[in-house]
Amino acid sequence: MLRRAWLSVVGLAFVVVASVTAMQGQEVSLRLKFSPKQIRIYEHQMSGESTVTVKPPGQQETSFTTKAEGKVIHRERIDEVDKDGVAAVTMTVSGNLKFEAKGLPEGPQMPPEIEIQPISVRFKIDPRGKVSEVRMDIDELRNRPPVPAPISMLQMQGMSWQGLLLPEKPVKVSDSWDVSAKVDFKLEDRTLEFEVRGKARLVALEKLNDRNCAVIEVTADLPDTGKLFSELAPVPEMRENIGAKIEGQVASKFWLDIADGLIVRSETSGKVNVTLTFKTPTGESFTMMSKGSFKDEQRLVKVEQEK
């Protein structure tokens, strides 16, 4: 009796292993799916830290460190979907972050907690995840109170496209593909072009909360969005006196529900270096450099249809 039971257990285990092995070898077609007026709500646990160096004109260089962590909520509304499956999606981000700084120079200090006021960005996304257009209200950004560099970094991370470009053809586990793409960022009557470069790989097919998911790893170089800093200047004459450069890399892991075409979880970590230069009316330069890192754990908490 015991021998028979033991053989049954071994046989069942063999069937399970064989099924999983077969699933890993199968090809799958990966596409995002959008339903008009669908609302998706994600929760992020975010953290970041940076070292900031400031060099005012004619003064000695000073440095301080910052840390931030907290919860960010982002809401996606599928506004419309065309006949080719290209969706217009409005993403709204809000949240609260705890902030800690050490070594700040004398003067106004940063508050221990900062609220990220809701900010919305509109994307056009095709079923592969390629973003053809990004729109946002530049006056909405200009009218906001200034936020420290690490908070801005985390906020932009929450605002940005989820960063997953799916392969053109079906793939199987261990296959990789290019995720490089160009994105148009529209501000009022101007368009800025940014380029993302990276690679993706299908690492597994597995269940997550009863969903059959493709597990995808992505590594990418962050686009240099430094041009945005000068564009946010309140008057055009100031734009030529502001210079900015942003460099960084990210590594992400996504869980994509294959049937629903929906990202249900992701983990992202990265490093970002920011250099800002301001020219004063006298021709002198004020420089601020920030070297930081961040982590973001995202999970889907609700999907609903707007009535």
Side-chain angles (χ1 to χ4, degrees), residues 49-53 63-66 272-274 289-293:
E49 57 183 44
S50 66
T51 299
V52 180
T53 302
S63 297
F64 58 92
T65 60
T66 62
V272 181
N273 297 333
V274 181
M289 296 175 289
S290 172
K291 293 185 177 182
S293 61

Side-chain angles (χ1 to χ4, degrees), residues 53-63 105 278 280 284-288:
T53 302
V54 180
K55 190 175 182 180
Q59 298 183 34
Q60 199 168 25
E61 177 178 288
T62 60
S63 297
F278 305 90
T280 67
E284 297 179 294
S285 294
F286 178 98
T287 303
M288 183 176 73

Side-chain angles (χ1 to χ4, degrees), residues 255-267:
W255 283 259
L256 174 72
D257 184 317
I258 299 171
D260 291 345
L262 179 66
I263 295 172
V264 295
R265 179 182 170 188
S266 69
E267 298 172 353

Side-chain angles (χ1 to χ4, degrees), residues 37-55:
K37 296 187 177 181
Q38 187 182 71
I39 294 173
R40 306 163 177 182
I41 298 175
Y42 291 87
E43 181 180 283
H44 297 250
Q45 290 292 334
M46 310 184 78
S47 62
E49 57 183 44
S50 66
T51 299
V52 180
T53 302
V54 180
K55 190 175 182 180

Side-chain angles (χ1 to χ4, degrees), residues 26 28 43 76 119 151 182 195 214 240 246 266 283 295:
Q26 74 183 38
V28 290
E43 181 180 283
E76 296 177 355
I119 185 168
I151 305 299
K182 292 183 178 180
E195 185 173 6
E240 61 185 27
I246 299 176
S266 69
K295 291 183 179 180

